[in-house]
Amino acid sequence: MIEIENSKIKDIEITWDYSAYSYRTNTKLEIEIQPLNGCWNGLDGTDRSEKVIKPIKDISKHPIGKLHLTFAEYNTKCFKWRVKTTNTVNGIESFTDWQFASFL
């Protein structure tokens, strides 16, 4: 969470570090963001709109990074997100568990 001066709304920053991951040259990384209705339900909130996919460019050259998310960009109070990795050699996809975040 990133506090914004004179605001009740916070920005959110998702960070990653793949520097110790030996297969990063063959890995495509994406962050999936699903805006939600019903923030009080956490991960079980109903989907609000289409999922947003944020591709992360070239983790082999830039294994450490961050994604800055703002309320204005998503126009939702809360969302869930997860990381999707794809092995570019064999096409196998892997997902982390969903995480819940709120701008409030």
Side-chain angles (χ1 to χ4, degrees), residues 7 14-15 22 33 36 48 52-53 55 57 77 83 99:
S7 178
I14 298 172
T15 61
S22 57
I33 301 164
L36 297 173
R48 180 167 183 223
V52 176
I53 307 295
K57 305 263 191 237
K77 293 178 184 176
V83 175
Q99 303 296 314

Side-chain angles (χ1 to χ4, degrees), residues 56-89:
I56 306 304
K57 305 263 191 237
D58 202 357
I59 64 166
S60 63
K61 292 181 183 171
H62 308 286
I64 299 171
K66 59 186 171 184
L67 179 63
H68 188 93
L69 308 174
T70 65
F71 173 80
E73 181 180 5
Y74 293 95
N75 192 27
T76 187
K77 293 178 184 176
C78 60
F79 61 93
K80 61 184 180 181
W81 65 275
R82 67 180 177 180
V83 175
K84 173 185 172 185
T85 56
T86 305
N87 181 312
T88 58
V89 174

Side-chain angles (χ1 to χ4, degrees), residues 13 24 26-27 29 34-36 38 54-55 59 62 88 92:
E13 191 171 80
R24 66 180 182 260
N26 298 327
T27 301
L29 178 68
Q34 177 62 68
L36 297 173
K54 294 285 192 175
I59 64 166
H62 308 286
T88 58
I92 294 176

